[in-house]
Amino acid sequence: MSDTAKLDPVVEAFVDALNAQDTDQFYGVLTEDATMSDDGVERNLAQWTEAEIFRSNGHLVVDTVDSDDGLALTADYTNSRWGSMRTTWRFVLRDGLISRFETGQA
């Protein structure tokens, strides 16, 4: 069951773009210098998103919003590369866009 009503609107747009496989909308909610990590390891954002989201049909089903500001969530993430796994996502905003996200297994 999705709990996106409590997400920050920019995070909700990130989730929507990811699920729609809409690269323009996805990169449109990120700052030009956005960074990310996966399981605590810094990753090249463009390479990671291409491999883990867009080439592998990534899909995120939000289970819970884990912060009052709507910038953290737990979700079931599925892609054709790894299958389905429970994940956490945390976001940092700057000037109304996502400047960093951190994801990893929950």
Side-chain angles (χ1 to χ4, degrees), residues 40-104:
V41 177
E42 291 298 311
R43 302 288 185 183
N44 176 294
L45 188 141
Q47 290 174 353
W48 187 91
T49 56
E50 182 62 25
E52 301 296 336
I53 296 173
F54 300 114
R55 265 198 325 246
S56 59
N57 299 307
H59 189 78
L60 189 64
V61 177
V62 176
D63 183 40
T64 60
V65 176
D66 301 329
S67 65
D68 290 341
D69 59 7
L71 298 177
L73 60 92
T74 301
D76 290 320
Y77 186 73
T78 305
N79 69 20
S80 60
R81 183 173 184 188
W82 303 108
S84 185
M85 66 188 81
R86 191 139 173 86
T87 56
T88 60
W89 298 72
R90 301 205 182 293
F91 299 87
V92 176
L93 301 184
R94 184 178 74 231
D95 300 328
L97 296 173
I98 295 168
S99 61
R100 178 169 179 79
F101 68 91
E102 299 171 349
T103 186

